[in-house]
Amino acid sequence: MKKILVTGAFGQIGSELVPVLREKYGKENVIAMGHITSPTPRLEEGPIVFGDVVHKEDLDKMIRKFDIDTVYHLAAIISAKGELNPQIAYKINMTGLYNVLELAREHALERIVVPSSMAVFGPDAPQDNTPTDTILHPTTMYGMTKVAGELLGSYYFSKYGIDVRGVRYPGILSSETPPTAGTTDYATAVFYDGIRTRKYECFLKEDTTLPMMYMCDAIKALMDLAEAPLKNLKHHTDFNVAAMSFSPKEIFTELKKYLPDLQISYKPDYRQAIADSWPRSLDDSAAHEEWGWKHSIDLPTMVKDLYEKLSARLEK
Ligand code: SER
């Protein structure tokens, strides 16, 4: 049986990925490692450890103690928070990944799964149907660390045979953890503010179209790639994955079906420039061809599900 360590496990993706991994591989075989934030109650149903990915010895200790063979390395500072403190973003994203890769080499780990992001693209990449293989000139520290991370992962594969894999996520909407650090987080924040106060002030312009995905598809993408036969993969660390694209205006219109009195105002801030530098839609044909990726959730289905889950929780 696999022994999996998940770093960044208390964050947006980890909080929902860990329970799904535990269902598949057994509760005791998936170790959730986090740092500053608190774990959700669901994570406490299995092994939880505290450690900082910047400290190699923390990771080393966990890999030895639990006889780990696979790491899902989720710990990272994403776009918006990264621009407020690029130095911390660099340290966590680069030193954290380097530590994981070096330990994978030292312990001959079987697999490293590390998400990348559409933030690898910059304003000079094609903005519509952006291909997996194209020019990568990001303008954020987050994007730069993700480009470097993809390249490092490929380097460890060709130089040391470490099986490193990753998808480039679009914005992810989810209900377990409140949105805090991303440029795409407006799309979830509107549910929290809308349900509580019937008002939301959006930090992006109404027509800023970005690629997005619901969490269940995001988890499926990472796990499907992790399980794909190696011989079928031409790419490793840099697969675009797509599900839908929409603007603030489009998702707010959809949400107004459930909250007809929702009032929206717009006050674009520094996150607008980040959003403007990213694609409007992604071409994910490489993921489709090499490991059969296909999303299942569209905008209306996602909005209905998110509204039902969050209104049940927030209106209590
Ligand atoms: N959701 C992320 C962000 O906004 C994109 O990878 O930073």
Side-chain angles (χ1 to χ4, degrees):
M1 195 39 116
K2 279 190 180 311
K3 279 285 206 173
I4 301 173
L5 178 69
V6 181
T7 72
F10 308 164
Q12 185 197 14
I13 300 172
S15 302
E16 301 199 39
L17 174 69
V18 166
V20 182
L21 286 173
R22 283 180 176 157
E23 239 164 68
K24 181 157 186 182
Y25 299 108
K27 250 183 202 156
E28 294 310 309
N29 295 320
V30 181
I31 319 303
M33 176 169 146
H35 184 213
I36 291 168
T37 49
S38 310
T40 56
R42 268 196 91 185
L43 291 183
E44 284 167 352
E45 291 168 10
I48 284 205
V49 295
F50 287 84
D52 185 349
V53 294
V54 168
H55 298 135
K56 193 176 172 198
E57 58 281 8
D58 286 7
L59 288 162
D60 194 30
K61 202 168 89 192
M62 301 312 164
I63 290 169
R64 286 174 199 274
K65 182 170 173 195
F66 295 99
D67 199 16
I68 296 297
D69 54 58
T70 301
V71 179
Y72 279 72
H73 179 50
L74 308 181
I77 300 289
I78 65 172
S79 66
K81 198 168 164 193
E83 288 315 289
L84 296 179
N85 198 334
Q87 292 71 26
I88 297 274
Y90 180 88
K91 198 162 147 191
I92 292 176
N93 298 1
M94 292 315 307
T95 308
L97 178 63
Y98 182 67
N99 286 341
V100 168
L101 291 172
E102 273 296 279
L103 287 163
R105 181 180 66 78
E106 288 166 20
H107 293 283
L109 300 187
E110 198 180 301
R111 188 154 303 160
I112 306 297
V113 182
V114 50
S116 184
S117 163
M118 64 165 165
V120 294
F121 300 112
D124 55 356
Q127 281 205 309
D128 295 300
N129 246 343
T130 310
T132 287
D133 299 306
T134 188
I135 193 160
L136 302 178
H137 288 158
T139 51
T140 61
M141 179 57 88
Y142 175 55
M144 287 175 213
T145 63
K146 285 296 173 190
V147 173
E150 289 180 355
L151 293 171
L152 272 175
S154 295
Y155 180 81
Y156 274 70
F157 178 65
S158 53
K159 180 107 178 160
Y160 302 115
I162 310 292
D163 189 351
V164 187
R165 304 181 180 195
V167 295
R168 288 178 184 149
Y169 278 135
I172 300 174
L173 286 82
S174 64
S175 56
E176 275 295 299
T177 58
T180 53
T183 302
T184 55
D185 281 358
Y186 83 84
T188 312
V190 66
F191 285 80
Y192 283 80
D193 287 10
I195 290 165
R196 286 185 180 129
T197 67
R198 302 292 187 271
K199 283 192 184 127
Y200 180 65
E201 186 176 87
C202 183
F203 56 77
L204 295 183
K205 290 188 214 152
E206 64 173 21
D207 58 352
T208 311
T209 299
L210 290 167
M212 301 277 190
M213 183 178 281
Y214 200 28
M215 182 59 93
C216 51
D217 272 335
I219 288 171
K220 185 172 159 344
L222 210 56
M223 288 174 66
D224 283 359
L225 172 61
E227 294 290 315
L230 182 63
K231 64 174 177 22
N232 295 351
L233 303 183
K234 294 189 199 80
H235 298 81
H236 292 266
T237 55
D238 55 0
F239 287 98
N240 285 0
V241 286
M244 60 187 102
S245 281
F246 56 78
S247 64
K249 194 174 177 188
E250 284 163 331
I251 189 170
F252 300 158
T253 302
E254 194 62 38
L255 181 56
K256 280 184 186 173
K257 290 183 184 163
Y258 306 90
L259 293 172
D261 50 349
L262 176 64
Q263 288 176 35
I264 301 288
S265 53
Y266 294 90
K267 197 175 174 197
D269 64 14
Y270 74 100
R271 289 168 281 195
Q272 184 66 45
I274 302 176
D276 288 342
S277 76
W278 287 351
R280 282 186 287 262
S281 60
L282 298 170
D283 171 359
D284 59 0
S285 49
H288 179 68
E289 280 154 27
E290 293 176 43
W291 47 278
W293 160 250
K294 196 169 174 2
H295 76 278
S296 58
I297 307 289
D298 61 9
L299 177 62
T301 317
M302 176 178 73
V303 169
K304 180 172 188 291
D305 195 60
L306 263 179
Y307 175 74
E308 284 169 1
K309 285 195 171 122
L310 286 173
S311 56
R313 189 180 321 143
L314 299 173
E315 279 172 355
K316 257 187 213 159

